[in-house]
Amino acid sequence: MASALYEALPKDHVRFVRLLPGDDIVAKVETWPLEQAPTYTALSYMWGPAIYRDGRSPDAVYTITLNDRTFQVQENLHDALSCLVPQIRDSNMLLWVDAICINQDDVKERSVQILHMRYLYSHATQVYGWLGFPRDEMQATLAVDLMSDLLAALMERVAAVMSLEAAGSEHALDGTKMSTLIKDINVSFLEREDCEGWAGIHDLLSRPYWRRTWIYQEVTGPAPTSIWCGSHKFDLDMVYATCCLGQHFPSLGKSSYPLDFIVESQALAMCLFRDPEAFGSSKRLVDLIELTRRTECSDPRDKVYAFLGLAIDFDASAIVSDYSKTVGDVYKDVVRFTLLQPQYGLSILNFVKHYVIADDNDVHCARPKIELPSWVPDFSRDIGRGTEPFDHLFADGSWAYKACGPYHEQNAEIDGIRLRINGVKIDEIAQISVPLKSLFWEGSPVNPNHENLEVFRSWAVHQSDSSYIGQTVDEVVRTTIVADVTVYPRRRGYAANWDLLETSNSSLTDQQLEYKDNMGRAISMVAPTRRLCTTATGRIGLVPPTAQVGDLLYVFLGGPMVYVLRPKRTGVFEFIGSSYIHGIMDGEIFEDHGINIMKKEAVVLE
């Protein structure tokens, strides 16, 4: 039994593996105080079988020798050790790898050691990421060479831009638009036949390793990181350059290989996470969990525990990794933690999504995979590529919306499966559109999805304008489909432009194309997967795809949004989600529409 190899760890101690000489994998375990560990390599890999298993028996058992005993390891880890151990051993470093250094049979130890993982990966002498063996050795060689060339080309272009900026040239770029940055990039090396290189990159960046939830903890820290595919080695700067350039190359005619896989790859998201300027300052726990919804882990509790060491707002006393808890209790802990942060109000409710996006780009209603109250987000579900939550923060940290007006102090209380909160009923959904397609832009540069445009246009034509003074329905709809917020820079007071959306890209100037791109990003951030609605009083808004005619609209004290509820019985509701209702997102419902706060009621969500 594996647990017989382990002795109980003293507080703030960790185990490492010392690799011994020999052709086989032979090692012994050493225990060190966490902050006194010598030089070591930390291994990042995927649990389970190897990616390519041709010629392998499904019944094969893989072992190493650990502390003079036979120790069974999983196939993919055995592959990684077989390939990388000689290099680690020759460098005279220790090795840290979770499957060996943590007693996986001891739930209590696992819960404690998880809290050390961020430190272990951040303070490693080096981190090795293991993708598995290559599908094709020649393709892998060409892929690494091409990624190296792409990084060099990007760095050359950035250096040229910095020189222009230093000289005060009017041709200098602000560096915020990758599409503009690479327009004149020197990629003459791509004139050679590059399909085999791109095919190799496709294989490397599409591997399930990049979809692992834990990768954000393991390879985004300050330690030097190398990614290995068999004996082929590359770094994350090469991945970043490849993803950033490759997603724009089809529009520039710079590659004949289809590069759609780059948009879907989690490798780019992970690389951006390492860049604080690209990612921004929003490393709140709920943001991290939401941004990585499409990642995968074998234990759904790890959707939370993997980010406890990364969140800027994390309080070690608020959420403790505990694998004896149910998944539902762990997710309720996140809600409870967020509700206790005064600066966040009820923002956690913006992350509830009772739907999934299918491969055909359609939206389907779906109940949680696990038993959860309607007000608890199911972080375990990959809902597909959809819109962001209505959770917009400006650069100064202030909320984009304040539907609750001056009543910003919430008094939400969790009572078992219930969330009790004070709110005011303001309206009811009277009409509703089909769910908007989840993919708003088709291709690059931006080309709008015409099914969505048709929905937008028809809604503007067929609605009454009696509820809005000083704005036409057309203006209201154009503002609603971007939720009154632009992306660069993030600010209120923004509306879409029909003419620009429908004009061919080839007819636009660079400035118009950039404006159209920003507009597309703003629409893509809020509109796809949601529905347009008209309320009983004639207001227009965006509501969740699961909303129905007859659902009620509430403002909660302390809540920045308008919330959609469905009555279950007297005073008890199912929570459907957050919504944008034009004209009442800044507290106007209290200030201009005569609704008295004394009409508030105790709302119970189940």
Side-chain angles (χ1 to χ4, degrees):
M1 186 174 180
S3 58
L5 287 166
Y6 300 103
E7 296 181 357
L9 281 171
K11 183 179 180 181
D12 295 329
H13 280 60
V14 293
R15 299 185 189 94
F16 291 95
V17 173
R18 185 173 297 279
L19 301 164
L20 303 179
D23 295 332
D24 297 327
I25 304 172
V26 181
K28 65 177 182 179
V29 173
E30 298 182 4
T31 300
W32 288 79
L34 178 63
E35 297 185 4
Q36 297 177 25
T39 58
Y40 64 93
T41 298
L43 182 62
S44 170
Y45 68 104
M46 191 174 71
W47 281 50
I51 304 301
Y52 300 124
R53 309 193 69 256
D54 292 347
R56 302 198 192 197
S57 168
D59 300 321
V61 175
Y62 298 87
T63 62
I64 65 173
T65 301
L66 187 67
N67 288 1
D68 299 321
R69 299 187 184 190
T70 298
F71 185 87
Q72 186 171 333
V73 296
Q74 295 179 338
E75 184 179 55
N76 192 48
L77 176 56
H78 191 270
D79 286 354
L81 295 174
S82 299
C83 188
L84 302 177
V85 156
Q87 301 182 62
I88 299 170
R89 185 168 51 210
D90 291 347
S91 65
N92 200 31
M93 290 188 197
L94 297 180
L95 171 67
W96 190 89
V97 53
D98 58 354
I100 301 175
C101 297
I102 299 175
N103 182 358
Q104 300 296 326
D105 294 333
D106 188 332
V107 173
K108 183 177 179 180
E109 180 178 306
R110 284 171 53 204
S111 299
V112 171
Q113 289 294 300
I114 272 189
L115 298 178
H116 298 325
M117 287 181 65
R118 180 59 176 174
Y119 182 94
L120 285 163
Y121 281 102
S122 296
H123 289 78
T125 307
Q126 59 187 11
V127 175
Y128 281 173
W130 175 251
L131 298 182
F133 289 115
R135 182 194 298 269
D136 183 286
E137 288 286 348
M138 181 57 70
Q139 277 190 356
T141 298
L142 293 173
V144 174
D145 289 345
L146 180 54
M147 288 195 290
S148 179
D149 289 341
L150 291 169
L151 175 60
L154 179 60
M155 296 307 295
E156 179 183 355
R157 178 63 176 142
V158 170
V161 169
M162 293 177 66
S163 296
L164 289 171
E165 290 178 340
S169 169
E170 63 180 4
H171 299 292
L173 302 173
D174 62 11
T176 61
K177 298 295 295 176
M178 180 61 68
S179 57
T180 306
L181 178 67
I182 71 169
K183 183 180 179 182
D184 300 317
I185 199 167
N186 178 15
V187 285
S188 57
F189 57 86
L190 286 177
E191 294 175 3
R192 68 173 186 260
E193 180 56 47
D194 66 335
C195 284
E196 285 299 304
W198 281 117
I201 291 173
H202 189 173
D203 174 46
L204 295 180
L205 300 190
S206 300
R207 296 197 175 206
Y209 171 83
W210 303 105
R211 299 194 295 272
R212 294 178 56 246
T213 302
W214 282 102
I215 192 175
Y216 287 83
Q217 178 121 244
E218 296 166 356
V219 302
T220 61
T225 300
S226 300
I227 306 297
W228 295 80
C229 183
S231 60
H232 304 277
K233 171 184 169 184
F234 55 95
D235 62 37
L236 295 177
D237 288 338
M238 293 162 66
V239 175
Y240 177 76
T242 299
C243 290
C244 287
L245 298 181
Q247 64 181 327
H248 293 282
F249 279 171
S251 64
L252 300 177
K254 296 184 183 294
S255 175
S256 58
Y257 188 87
L259 301 181
D260 295 345
F261 71 89
I262 289 178
V263 178
E264 295 293 333
S265 174
Q266 286 292 314
L268 176 58
M270 189 275 299
C271 288
L272 289 173
F273 184 90
R274 299 171 64 230
D275 182 355
E277 292 186 5
F279 188 85
S281 59
S282 58
K283 289 187 178 180
R284 302 179 303 163
L285 180 59
V286 291
D287 292 323
L288 295 174
I289 297 171
E290 176 65 24
L291 286 165
T292 57
R293 264 196 197 248
R294 304 196 71 187
T295 62
E296 300 169 357
C297 53
S298 57
D299 190 323
R301 289 167 292 198
D302 287 339
K303 285 284 189 171
V304 174
Y305 293 158
F307 301 105
L308 297 184
L310 296 175
I312 60 172
D313 59 349
F314 175 62
D315 180 352
S317 63
I319 301 179
V320 177
S321 56
D322 182 353
Y323 285 95
S324 66
K325 284 190 171 185
T326 67
V327 177
D329 284 341
V330 173
Y331 292 176
K332 279 196 285 186
D333 283 346
V334 175
V335 177
R336 183 179 291 104
F337 164 73
T338 307
L339 292 177
L340 292 174
Q341 313 301 310
Q343 68 272 33
Y344 299 146
L346 298 176
S347 64
I348 187 64
L349 297 179
N350 297 332
F351 295 86
V352 174
K353 300 179 180 180
H354 298 308
Y355 61 92
V356 294
I357 301 165
D359 292 338
D360 60 5
N361 202 26
D362 283 335
V363 182
H364 301 281
C365 299
R367 301 306 306 163
K369 293 192 299 182
I370 52 181
E371 191 67 29
L372 292 171
S374 64
W375 47 271
V376 177
D378 183 3
F379 297 121
S380 69
R381 168 178 284 142
D382 172 11
I383 62 170
R385 185 171 59 186
T387 51
E388 296 183 10
F390 284 124
D391 196 38
H392 308 320
L393 291 173
F394 292 140
D396 62 359
S398 61
W399 291 102
Y401 309 109
K402 298 176 183 176
C404 60
Y407 308 104
H408 51 80
E409 293 187 6
Q410 56 89 4
N411 64 341
E413 177 184 347
I414 296 176
D415 179 14
I417 64 170
R418 293 183 168 188
L419 179 67
R420 303 179 187 275
I421 194 167
N422 287 330
V424 177
K425 177 187 172 184
I426 60 168
D427 218 326
E428 181 177 329
I429 296 176
Q431 299 180 57
I432 204 163
S433 76
V434 297
L436 300 167
K437 291 292 186 179
S438 65
L439 184 61
F440 186 76
W441 294 126
E442 298 174 332
S444 176
V446 291
N447 291 297
N449 181 304
H450 289 283
E451 289 184 54
N452 282 353
L453 283 181
E454 181 61 29
V455 174
F456 297 155
R457 285 283 209 177
S458 62
W459 209 259
V461 169
H462 293 103
Q463 303 302 313
S464 164
D465 60 356
S466 59
S467 292
Y468 295 99
I469 299 174
Q471 279 188 302
T472 66
V473 170
D474 183 79
E475 291 171 326
V476 171
V477 172
R478 288 191 292 109
T479 303
T480 297
I481 64 174
V482 294
D484 196 31
V485 172
T486 186
V487 180
Y488 299 118
R490 186 159 289 189
R491 57 177 173 78
R492 291 286 299 277
Y494 190 64
N497 181 314
W498 297 136
D499 293 336
L500 200 57
L501 281 173
E502 295 176 335
T503 300
S504 170
N505 293 328
S506 60
S507 303
L508 300 177
T509 65
D510 287 348
Q511 184 177 8
Q512 288 174 323
L513 191 58
E514 183 170 342
Y515 184 87
K516 184 178 180 180
D517 183 59
N518 279 337
M519 182 165 45
R521 292 174 187 272
I523 297 174
S524 297
M525 190 167 63
V526 298
T529 73
R530 294 189 168 109
R531 298 176 186 257
L532 282 167
C533 82
T534 301
T535 71
T537 60
R539 300 184 180 99
I540 293 174
L542 281 172
V543 295
T546 47
Q548 301 174 1
V549 171
D551 285 345
L552 305 181
L553 299 175
Y554 271 74
V555 169
F556 293 153
L557 275 63
M561 306 305 301
V562 176
Y563 302 99
V564 183
L565 308 184
R566 186 169 299 154
K568 296 180 68 175
R569 53 189 181 276
T570 303
V572 180
F573 302 86
E574 178 184 358
F575 183 78
I576 305 302
S578 304
S579 67
Y580 170 92
I581 306 297
H582 186 71
I584 58 172
M585 299 307 297
D586 295 300
E588 297 95 335
I589 200 71
F590 301 111
E591 299 168 5
D592 301 331
H593 296 278
I595 291 184
N596 194 313
I597 190 62
M598 298 306 293
K599 291 185 178 180
K600 70 180 180 181
E601 58 186 277
V603 175
V604 176
L605 305 180
E606 284 187 349

